[in-house]
Amino acid sequence: MSFENCVDGELVFQELKELAVKAKGEKISIYWLYPENKIAHLFSKRITKSIEYYKKWLPKLLTQHELEASVIAELRTDIYIAPNKQLEVQAYARDLNGKEYVKNIYEFADFEPYESKL
């Protein structure tokens, strides 16, 4: 969810935002680590390419935070339109003991007014 995340000359953010609008409040989730029985959302080639790039970077990120993937049961990014019509982005993690961690992400800051292309 960065304005620097361009794939094939297009912002991935804009496409994810469009998906969130179409979902009408339902969460669009990018699963970084997930249980085997979880079915991941199917994204466009552009979004999938971006996700795969960041998945390769994930082990380094975990190491920087002194974490091991083996203690994480689920790790995802949720994108949705809140009831106040704001685009919301949340980081979600659940450890092997079932403890959940949720953090709202505000650094992406969507400064442009929304105009649907649907």
Side-chain angles (χ1 to χ4, degrees):
M1 292 305 295
S2 165
F3 286 115
E4 296 174 2
N5 186 2
C6 287
V7 173
D8 301 330
E10 297 288 333
L11 288 172
V12 174
F13 171 87
Q14 188 62 38
E15 192 172 339
L16 287 168
K17 184 177 172 182
E18 292 286 334
L19 285 174
V21 170
K22 280 178 69 174
K24 298 180 181 178
E26 296 295 318
K27 291 181 179 180
I28 301 296
S29 297
I30 298 170
Y31 287 89
W32 305 105
L33 299 172
Y34 51 90
E36 289 181 26
N37 63 349
K38 181 67 181 170
I39 298 172
H41 186 87
L42 296 176
F43 292 105
S44 70
K45 288 181 183 179
R46 176 178 293 115
I47 294 173
T48 300
K49 192 173 183 180
S50 176
I51 290 169
E52 292 306 318
Y53 171 81
Y54 282 102
K55 277 187 176 182
K56 290 178 187 172
W57 175 65
L58 185 61
K60 183 176 179 179
L61 178 66
L62 292 173
T63 299
Q64 289 173 341
H65 291 277
E66 300 178 358
L67 293 168
E68 293 184 28
S70 63
V71 301
I72 302 171
E74 185 174 349
L75 180 64
R76 69 177 193 257
T77 301
D78 294 327
I79 304 131
Y80 62 98
I81 302 297
N84 65 1
K85 305 298 182 206
Q86 295 294 315
L87 181 67
E88 296 286 339
V89 179
Q90 289 182 332
Y92 172 90
R94 183 173 43 84
D95 66 25
L96 293 178
N97 295 319
K99 184 172 181 184
E100 296 178 313
Y101 306 83
V102 179
K103 173 76 173 154
N104 290 331
I105 309 297
Y106 299 107
E107 290 80 21
F108 67 92
D110 183 16
F111 294 115
E112 295 183 24
Y114 177 71
E115 294 181 28
S116 178
K117 295 179 182 173
L118 302 176

